[in-house]
Amino acid sequence: MSVTIREIAEKTGVSITAISQILNGKGERFSETTKNRVLKAAKDMAYKPNFFAKNMITNHTNTIGMVVPEVTDAFFSQMVKGAEDYLNRHDYMIMLCNSSNDKEREDRYVEELLHRAVDGLIIASPNILASEVFERLQEKKKPYILLDRQRNEQKEGRIAVDDFEGGYMATKHLHKLGHTKIGIIISDNSFYNVFERYEGYLACMKEAGITVSKDWIVSGNQTMQGGFLAGEKLLESGVTAVFATNDLMAVGLYRFLFDKGVKIPEDLSVIGFDDIELSEFMVPPLTTVRQPIYEIGAVAAEFLLRKIAYPEEKMNNRLLDLTLIERGSTTKI
Amino acid sequence: MSVTIREIAEKTGVSITAISQILNGKGERFSETTKNRVLKAAKDMAYKPNFFAKNMITNHTNTIGMVVPEVTDAFFSQMVKGAEDYLNRHDYMIMLCNSSNDKEREDRYVEELLHRAVDGLIIASPNILASEVFERLQEKKKPYILLDRQRNEQKEGRIAVDDFEGGYMATKHLHKLGHTKIGIIISDNSFYNVFERYEGYLACMKEAGITVSKDWIVSGNQTMQGGFLAGEKLLESGVTAVFATNDLMAVGLYRFLFDKGVKIPEDLSVIGFDDIELSEFMVPPLTTVRQPIYEIGAVAAEFLLRKIAYPEEKMNNRLLDLTLIERGSTTKI
């Protein structure tokens, strides 16, 4: 029923080998004219590559495995989206695995993906990977990108933002508005990036000559619930502004303040971190430090596909910018 | 390095075949004593099954493929979570594929998952699947569950809620509070379930003897942005209450109303549908019709594992309940 490469060869007069290489994106050595003729014929004849045949020719499955800590978290789902859009545009599919922040499950998923012959992996992880997993990745010679908050040592393919700078930026914004009693919600988990944001906060406070009271620092789960629960202590501490180290916690804090009749930003300024899609829809819209989350996913995909195409080439590193997004949740005191 | 089945056999005196069957959950024919002895020895000796060996014995990969229309949507990510928690408890892993509501991509992902030898599939889809995909599923004899808003014909394994009833319930709640001018945001896409909710709304209005004005019905994208954009027409129409056919649209509507200085629920009552995690954190907390989203995913996983274990058995169908969750976004007029 379906059109074969042989039929395209008959129609175009180009060899089967050449056609299969061109259709599989390995046709660099052919002229543009030949390539266009083949691609046009394939399109006109509605050619669909046979998965296994294609696989045999290129030894590629055109599938990328991606492991994320929590797919229900708006942050990671946006990252996945960035990777996916890039991969889909390049005719790659993505197999997604959710480790639920569980180290063991993460290691297992990486193994599973290797067994399933993906062409490469994007591993977003809060953990240090097991050395066996690293060994397995080397052994299988699979290109991979670690989006791991800088916890594993990486010589190439590092994609990062400067979390310290981001924490500094958020605190500075509040301080510029006249706030001196500035609270922070940090993580009850040892997330490296949140710790860096906290360090940025401390540096900014020190620079401003403000002695940080212990009460201003509340730790919580990096979720809406976590932000909600942190509200009580923060209110008691007498701060006039709060830096929530991610936007989800700001959502929960909003709800707590609503229950207590505390108005944002009149009674309390709130700044978040991430700029998830929800943030601009919050009431009032949330001032936050935007991470280019979508772009992080897209760059990871870009680096990975390049590594798959040119395995010997060293991968770049990229430091992406953070931006302060001023909305309605912060005001002058 | 790692412990083998042979070593467990030496230690326990049980045959290798028996041990492999017991360790793979196929040990029904052995006594409890034997089973316990083997399981204890495996545990004591820290036995870890070799993936391929296990695969050869059981012909199972202990992996389920799941296709969802949009993983960034809180509704689907909660459904995934339900399936995943159930599957993980039963030592299955999940490979997730995001079709972005694209029918072609959806078909392709199903094919990919079949190639990758998953044990079964959960396909959440707003579309009618291509007949080739159905054929392929039959041919490969792969158990699957369709969470498809009732669009494909299914003789077994149907998991559903009564969307008509849900739409009726939401409208009735507003009407009981004294509202007669009740607006609705429907979908600009032909989603069957949203259409059913709309029918429930119409039935309730008819029963109450209210003539629905055309202006009260606004269609929009089932996203925050869609709800935001629907706000203008609804405000102009003079309604006193709005039924957003999903919670995300309610989030967008909240933001629009905030910009216009319209207070919820004093000036306008809002009711949603779904009860995503965010809904109770909204300001004010959203009154909504709760779908057991997590449970839908969990039941799908349960049905699927049962079908994998007992392929000849017919699957059950299950109709899950909707519940009205009254929070702070609706009030008497």
Side-chain angles (χ1 to χ4, degrees), chain A residues 11-257:
Chain A
K11 168 123 181 182
T12 56
V14 177
S15 79
I16 289 178
T17 316
I19 291 172
S20 79
Q21 289 177 338
I22 290 167
L23 292 179
N24 287 298
K26 308 248 162 188
E28 296 90 349
R29 65 193 179 87
F30 303 104
S31 73
E32 284 305 309
T33 325
T34 305
K35 278 197 274 184
N36 289 337
R37 191 150 44 122
V38 168
L39 294 173
K40 189 173 177 307
K43 203 178 161 201
D44 292 347
M45 299 165 81
Y47 169 74
K48 284 202 176 160
N50 172 284
F51 178 84
F52 281 122
K54 187 170 179 182
N55 198 351
M56 280 189 302
I57 295 163
T58 63
N59 201 20
H60 281 174
T61 60
N62 274 41
T63 310
I64 298 301
M66 183 163 182
V67 183
V68 292
E70 191 48 79
V71 76
T72 59
D73 180 324
F75 178 82
F76 290 107
S77 61
Q78 217 159 310
M79 186 190 274
V80 168
K81 199 82 194 143
E84 189 167 48
D85 286 350
Y86 187 91
L87 291 170
N88 285 155
R89 271 201 306 282
H90 292 80
D91 208 27
Y92 271 77
M93 317 196 80
I94 199 163
M95 295 265 164
L96 203 58
C97 301
N98 190 31
S99 70
S100 303
N101 279 302
D102 180 313
K103 189 176 147 41
E104 201 177 312
R105 199 177 290 176
E106 190 175 280
D107 292 340
R108 248 181 93 188
Y109 269 129
V110 172
E111 297 260 352
E112 285 290 320
L113 288 167
L114 289 174
H115 283 316
R116 280 180 175 62
V118 293
D119 292 338
L121 294 99
I122 299 172
I123 307 164
S125 161
N127 300 306
I128 301 202
L129 287 188
S131 56
E132 309 93 79
V133 174
F134 271 117
E135 271 164 36
R136 201 63 57 96
L137 283 165
Q138 311 297 347
E139 199 179 283
K140 295 254 183 182
K141 292 196 168 58
K142 286 292 175 197
Y144 63 91
I145 299 277
L146 274 176
L147 299 171
D148 68 338
R149 305 161 173 169
Q150 313 301 306
R151 297 202 60 179
N152 294 284
E153 203 192 316
Q154 292 175 69
K155 293 202 180 65
E156 50 174 335
R158 280 198 308 275
I159 302 164
V161 297
D162 188 339
D163 284 294
F164 177 91
E165 176 65 22
Y168 180 91
M169 208 184 270
T171 317
K172 188 85 192 165
H173 172 69
L174 296 171
H175 183 247
K176 268 189 186 167
L177 290 169
H179 297 276
T180 52
K181 293 182 182 169
I182 301 173
I184 183 170
I185 317 177
I186 55 172
S187 175
D188 53 9
N189 235 303
S190 60
F191 291 139
Y192 178 82
N193 53 348
V194 176
F195 183 74
E196 284 289 297
R197 289 170 208 168
Y198 173 55
E199 290 283 325
Y201 158 86
L202 290 178
C204 179
M205 295 297 265
K206 192 174 176 189
E207 192 187 280
I210 303 166
T211 310
V212 174
S213 157
K214 237 182 19 203
D215 302 349
W216 302 351
I217 303 160
V218 179
S219 71
N221 207 299
Q222 303 270 304
T223 58
M224 295 189 271
Q225 189 64 25
F228 181 85
L229 295 174
E232 187 117 38
K233 279 191 193 165
L234 285 165
L235 266 196
E236 280 171 11
S237 76
V239 295
T240 62
V242 173
F243 169 26
T245 49
N246 79 8
D247 287 353
L248 281 181
M249 294 196 300
V251 175
L253 181 61
Y254 266 48
R255 170 65 206 280
F256 179 83
L257 297 174

Side-chain angles (χ1 to χ4, degrees), chain B residues 9-286:
Chain B
E10 280 162 13
K11 170 122 182 183
T12 57
V14 177
S15 80
I16 289 178
T17 315
I19 291 172
S20 78
Q21 288 176 339
I22 289 166
L23 293 179
N24 286 297
K26 309 246 163 189
E28 297 89 349
R29 65 193 179 86
F30 304 102
S31 73
E32 285 303 311
T33 325
T34 306
K35 278 197 276 185
N36 289 338
R37 190 151 43 122
V38 169
L39 292 173
K40 190 175 176 305
K43 201 177 162 202
D44 292 348
M45 298 165 82
Y47 168 74
K48 285 207 175 155
N50 172 284
F51 179 85
F52 282 122
K54 186 170 178 181
N55 198 352
M56 281 189 301
I57 295 162
T58 63
N59 202 20
H60 280 177
T61 60
N62 273 41
T63 311
I64 299 300
M66 184 164 182
V67 182
V68 292
E70 190 49 77
V71 75
T72 58
D73 181 323
F75 178 83
F76 290 107
S77 62
Q78 217 159 310
M79 186 189 274
V80 167
K81 200 81 193 145
E84 187 167 49
D85 285 350
Y86 187 92
L87 291 171
N88 285 153
R89 271 202 306 281
H90 291 81
D91 207 26
Y92 272 76
M93 317 195 81
I94 200 164
M95 295 266 163
L96 201 58
C97 302
N98 189 31
S99 70
S100 303
N101 278 301
D102 180 312
K103 188 177 146 39
E104 201 178 312
R105 200 179 289 176
E106 191 175 279
D107 292 341
R108 247 181 94 187
Y109 270 129
V110 172
E111 297 260 353
E112 285 290 320
L113 288 166
L114 288 174
H115 284 316
R116 282 180 172 61
V118 293
D119 291 338
L121 295 99
I122 299 173
I123 306 165
S125 162
N127 301 306
I128 302 204
L129 287 188
S131 56
E132 309 94 78
V133 173
F134 271 118
E135 272 164 36
R136 201 65 56 96
L137 284 165
Q138 310 297 347
E139 199 180 284
K140 294 254 184 182
K141 291 197 168 60
K142 284 294 173 196
Y144 63 93
I145 300 276
L146 274 177
L147 299 171
D148 68 339
R149 305 162 173 169
Q150 313 301 304
R151 298 204 58 178
N152 294 283
E153 203 190 317
Q154 290 177 70
K155 294 201 181 64
E156 52 173 334
R158 279 197 307 274
I159 302 163
V161 297
D162 188 339
D163 283 293
F164 176 91
E165 176 65 23
Y168 180 91
M169 207 185 269
T171 316
K172 188 85 191 166
H173 172 69
L174 296 171
H175 184 247
K176 268 190 186 164
L177 291 170
H179 297 276
T180 53
K181 293 181 182 169
I182 302 173
I184 183 170
I185 318 178
I186 56 173
S187 174
D188 53 9
N189 234 304
S190 59
F191 291 139
Y192 178 82
N193 54 348
V194 175
F195 183 74
E196 284 288 299
R197 289 170 209 168
Y198 173 54
E199 290 283 325
Y201 159 86
L202 290 178
C204 180
M205 294 297 265
K206 193 175 175 185
E207 192 187 280
I210 303 167
T211 310
V212 174
S213 157
K214 239 182 19 202
D215 302 349
W216 300 354
I217 302 159
V218 178
S219 71
N221 207 299
Q222 303 271 302
T223 57
M224 295 189 269
Q225 188 64 23
F228 182 84
L229 295 174
E232 186 115 39
K233 280 190 193 167
L234 285 165
L235 265 196
E236 280 171 11
S237 76
V239 295
T240 62
V242 173
F243 168 27
T245 49
N246 80 8
D247 287 354
L248 281 181
M249 294 196 299
V251 175
L253 181 62
Y254 266 48
R255 170 65 206 279
F256 179 82
L257 297 174
F258 171 77
D259 288 357
K260 298 292 173 191
V262 177
K263 291 218 165 359
I264 308 168
E266 296 84 347
D267 305 329
L268 191 84
S269 284
V270 177
I271 188 167
F273 202 103
D274 284 345
D275 197 31
I276 56 176
E277 194 193 354
L278 173 60
S279 306
E280 70 167 308
F281 286 101
M282 287 165 69
V283 175
L286 182 70

